[in-house]
Amino acid sequence: MGQANVKESNEEFKSYGYADDILPKTSENRDWGTFNYVTVWMGAVHNLMSYMTVAGFFVLGLSVPQVLWAVMIAALIVSAGYVLNGYAGTKYGIGYSMLLRSSFGVKGSIIPAICRGLIAGVVFFGTKTIIGAQSFNVIFEKIFPGYKSMVPGFDFLGLDFPTMLSYVILWVITVGLFLGGMKILSLFSKWSSPIIYIFIVGAAIWAISVAGGFGPIFAYAPAKPMENWLVFIACVSALVSNWGGPIVNIADLTQRAKHPKAPMIGLPLGMIASYILFGITCVGLLVGTQIAFGIKDFNVVVAIDQIGNPVAVIILLLALNIGSTSYVVFGNLLPSGLQMTALLPKMFTVKSAAILTAVLGTVILPWKLVNGTAALYMFYSFIGSMYGPITGIMLVSFFIERKRRLDLSAIYVKPGENGEYKNGFNMVACGVLIVSFLITLSGSFLPNVPLLANISKSAFLSGSIISGVLYALCYKWNKPSTITQSETAAKAS
C-alpha cells in the first residue's frame, strides 16, 4: 500500500474514532533505523530481574557452561520471536493491539490485549519496580547511613518503610520518564546502554579477579548438579519468558521501522551481542562473588555490595536500574498504554493508561511475588502461560492462515461493526488460547502429574508450541461473516 493510500485510509479510519497512536504509521512516523533496534534492548538486558533469573539457574544445579548455553539459546529464541512476530508490524505499520484483530477478531482481541497490556504489564511493572527499590535501599544506605533502619517496626502490608520510600521514588522516576514522550525514550534507550556496559563490565572484571581468574569460575561446580535435562529447558524458557512480553507486542516497535531490514537485522544483532556480554558478566559476577564471599543464593545485590567502594556500588546499581527502567518503559508501560487505548479510546490515552498500569502494579503488592527463587519461577510459569499461546496463534495466523496478507479495512472497522468474524470473535483462536493457557499453567497446580508439571516449567516454549499446533490444525474451521479468506487476500494484495 502506497503512502498516499495509507494517509487516505488513515483519514477514513480516524473518522471512525481511532486515535492517532493506533493508526497505521506513515513514512513520516517511521523514524527507527537499524541502530535504534540494535540499542533498544541492549541496556535493558542488564536488569536486576534477569540477573536474579540466572542466579536461579545456579540454585537449580546448572554448571557454568550450562548456564552460558541456556543464556545464548534463550537469546536466539527471543531474536527469532522478534523477527517473526515483528514482520507484520513492519509491513503494515500497525501495532500489536490492531494486529491482534486479524488473529482473534475485532472483539476477540480484547482477551489477549488485556492479558498482555493490563495483566502482564501490571505484574511486570510491579515486580521490576520492587526489585529496583530493594537495590535503591543499598544505594541510599551508602549515601545516608542508617537509611535501611529508618522507622523500625513500620509495616505496610508487608513492606518496611525504607523499601516503601525507595519504591515511591523509583515509581515516580519510571512514570516520569515515560510521560516525557517517545523522543525522550528514544534518546534514553540510545545513550543509556553505553553507561550500563561500562560499569557492568567493570564489575565483572572485579568479580573474576577476586575469584582468582576464569579458571576457578569455569571449574565451579554446584553443590547439587542438575540431574534432569528438563531443568535446563525450564531455565531457557524462564529467560525467554522474561522477554515474552516484548516478543508478543514487538509490532509496537517494528511499526516505526524506516525499512523492513532495520528490525530484521537490528533486533537479533542487538539481542545476541548483548546476551554474549550478559552471559559473561552475569557468570563472572555471580560465580566470582560466590567463590570469593560465599553469597547465599547468588543474590546479585548482595554480590555487588561486596565491592566495598561505596561510589562503585552506587554507580553499578544505578546502571542496572537504568536497564530495568528501560525494560519497564518499553516492555510494559508502552504496550499497556497502547492496548488500553485501542480497547477503550474514549476513556484512555496512552499516557493515562500507562499511569493506571503503574498504579495497579503497586496495588497487587508485588513484593509478595518475588520473595524467592520458587516464587520467581512460578511467576514465569504464569506469564509464559499467557505469552506463549498468544505468540503461537499470532504466528500461525499471519504466516500460515493468511500467508502474510492483511486487510486493514477488516481491522479498522466502523463503530458497531464486527469485522471479519461473526460477532467479532474468532472463536477458534479464542478457544485455542484458553485451552493452551489451561494446559500450560495446570502443571503449577498439579505438580504430581509429571507431564503437566514439565509443560508448566517450560511454559512459554510449551505454550507457543501447543497453541501453534492446535491453531494450525483448527483454523480452517473459521467461518468469516462478511469477508471470506479469498476476498481478504485479494484486497490485501
Side-chain angles (χ1 to χ4, degrees):
M1 184 183 291
Q3 286 302 308
N5 290 334
V6 172
K7 291 181 179 179
E8 183 179 335
S9 296
N10 280 3
E11 288 302 317
E12 180 182 353
F13 299 154
K14 194 172 182 179
S15 70
Y16 300 162
Y18 292 99
D20 290 333
D21 290 325
I22 58 176
L23 291 175
K25 301 299 181 187
T26 62
S27 56
E28 291 85 354
N29 302 126
R30 290 174 175 253
D31 53 358
W32 277 39
T34 303
F35 184 68
N36 294 95
Y37 290 105
V38 169
T39 60
V40 67
W41 299 126
M42 287 185 72
V45 165
H46 295 278
N47 65 76
L48 289 167
M49 195 163 182
S50 291
Y51 277 80
M52 287 177 61
T53 303
V54 175
F57 296 176
F58 290 110
V59 174
L60 292 172
L62 271 66
S63 65
V64 169
Q66 288 168 340
V67 167
L68 292 174
W69 274 111
V71 168
M72 293 316 304
I73 292 172
L76 292 173
I77 294 172
V78 171
S79 297
Y82 284 159
V83 171
L84 293 173
N85 217 31
Y87 180 79
T90 303
K91 183 175 182 179
Y92 291 96
I94 61 176
Y96 168 70
S97 58
M98 305 312 293
L99 184 59
L100 282 177
R101 292 186 168 195
S102 68
S103 301
F104 293 88
V106 171
K107 294 180 180 177
S109 64
I110 293 174
I111 300 172
I114 289 177
C115 288
R116 171 62 186 110
L118 193 57
I119 297 175
V122 163
V123 174
F124 256 114
F125 176 90
T127 53
K128 286 187 174 290
T129 304
I130 191 61
I131 290 171
Q134 291 167 350
S135 71
F136 265 39
N137 285 349
V138 176
I139 294 173
F140 291 142
E141 179 69 23
K142 298 293 183 184
I143 301 173
F144 310 108
Y147 177 85
K148 290 197 289 186
S149 59
M150 285 193 306
V151 194
F154 179 93
D155 186 297
F156 177 73
L157 300 175
L159 197 62
D160 60 76
F161 183 81
T163 307
M164 183 182 72
L165 181 57
S166 297
Y167 184 92
V168 170
I169 292 171
L170 186 55
W171 191 100
V172 171
I173 291 172
T174 305
V175 174
L177 179 64
F178 178 81
L179 296 179
M182 283 303 297
K183 288 186 178 180
I184 298 296
L185 295 181
S186 296
L187 287 173
F188 178 77
S189 171
K190 183 182 294 186
W191 300 113
S192 64
S193 297
I195 297 173
I196 296 169
Y197 278 77
I198 290 171
F199 292 107
I200 195 67
V201 169
I205 292 173
W206 165 81
I208 293 168
S209 175
V210 298
F214 281 107
I217 288 177
F218 277 93
Y220 173 82
K224 294 182 179 180
M226 179 185 70
E227 298 179 354
N228 191 328
W229 63 272
L230 291 174
V231 175
F232 179 84
I233 295 177
C235 289
V236 172
S237 187
L239 205 51
V240 173
S241 293
N242 194 28
W243 295 94
I247 290 176
V248 167
N249 70 273
I250 193 64
D252 288 338
L253 298 182
T254 60
Q255 66 174 334
R256 305 181 69 93
K258 293 179 181 179
H259 51 85
K261 290 185 179 179
M264 293 179 67
I265 295 173
L267 287 169
L269 181 61
M271 180 58 66
I272 293 171
S274 299
Y275 257 52
I276 291 173
L277 185 56
F278 169 76
I280 295 171
T281 56
C282 196
V283 166
L285 185 59
L286 291 171
V287 178
T289 52
Q290 172 69 19
I291 293 172
F293 306 108
I295 305 299
K296 183 180 179 181
D297 293 333
F298 297 87
N299 188 306
V300 65
V301 175
V302 176
I304 291 171
D305 199 22
Q306 299 301 314
I307 293 174
N309 185 315
V311 176
V313 171
I314 291 170
I315 292 175
L316 181 55
L317 287 177
L318 284 175
L320 287 175
N321 273 287
I322 289 173
S324 295
T325 301
S326 178
Y327 184 93
V328 168
V329 168
F330 280 105
N332 296 282
L333 291 183
L334 178 61
S336 295
L338 290 171
Q339 267 55 270
M340 296 308 295
T341 302
L343 292 175
L344 301 167
K346 294 183 179 180
M347 291 181 60
F348 293 107
T349 63
V350 172
K351 291 182 178 180
S352 65
I355 292 174
L356 174 63
T357 299
V359 171
L360 293 177
T362 303
V363 172
I364 64 170
L365 310 182
W367 44 91
K368 295 184 180 292
L369 301 178
V370 288
N371 56 357
T373 300
L376 182 63
Y377 280 77
M378 175 66 78
F379 164 75
Y380 280 135
S381 178
F382 171 70
I383 292 295
S385 296
M386 288 195 298
Y387 288 158
I390 294 172
T391 302
I393 293 169
M394 290 180 70
L395 291 176
V396 170
S397 175
F398 182 72
F399 286 99
I400 298 178
E401 180 184 19
R402 300 179 183 281
K403 297 178 175 58
R404 297 180 296 172
R405 294 176 177 177
L406 299 179
D407 177 16
L408 296 186
S409 65
I411 294 174
Y412 292 88
V413 298
K414 296 179 180 179
E417 292 186 356
N418 293 322
E420 185 176 352
Y421 297 99
K422 184 179 181 181
N423 298 324
F425 289 88
N426 178 347
M427 297 304 296
V428 174
C430 293
V432 167
L433 177 61
I434 294 170
V435 169
S436 302
F437 171 77
L438 292 176
I439 292 174
T440 308
L441 188 62
S442 61
S444 297
F445 303 96
L446 299 171
N448 294 325
V449 182
L451 177 61
L452 294 178
N454 289 326
I455 288 174
S456 182
K457 289 175 183 177
S458 57
F460 184 92
L461 300 179
S462 299
S464 58
I465 293 171
I466 291 170
S467 67
V469 170
L470 287 177
Y471 192 68
L473 294 174
C474 300
Y475 75 79
K476 292 183 179 180
W477 294 349
N478 284 329
K479 296 180 180 180
S481 58
T482 57
I483 304 176
T484 65
Q485 291 295 326
S486 60
E487 288 172 338
T488 300
K491 287 188 178 184
S493 62

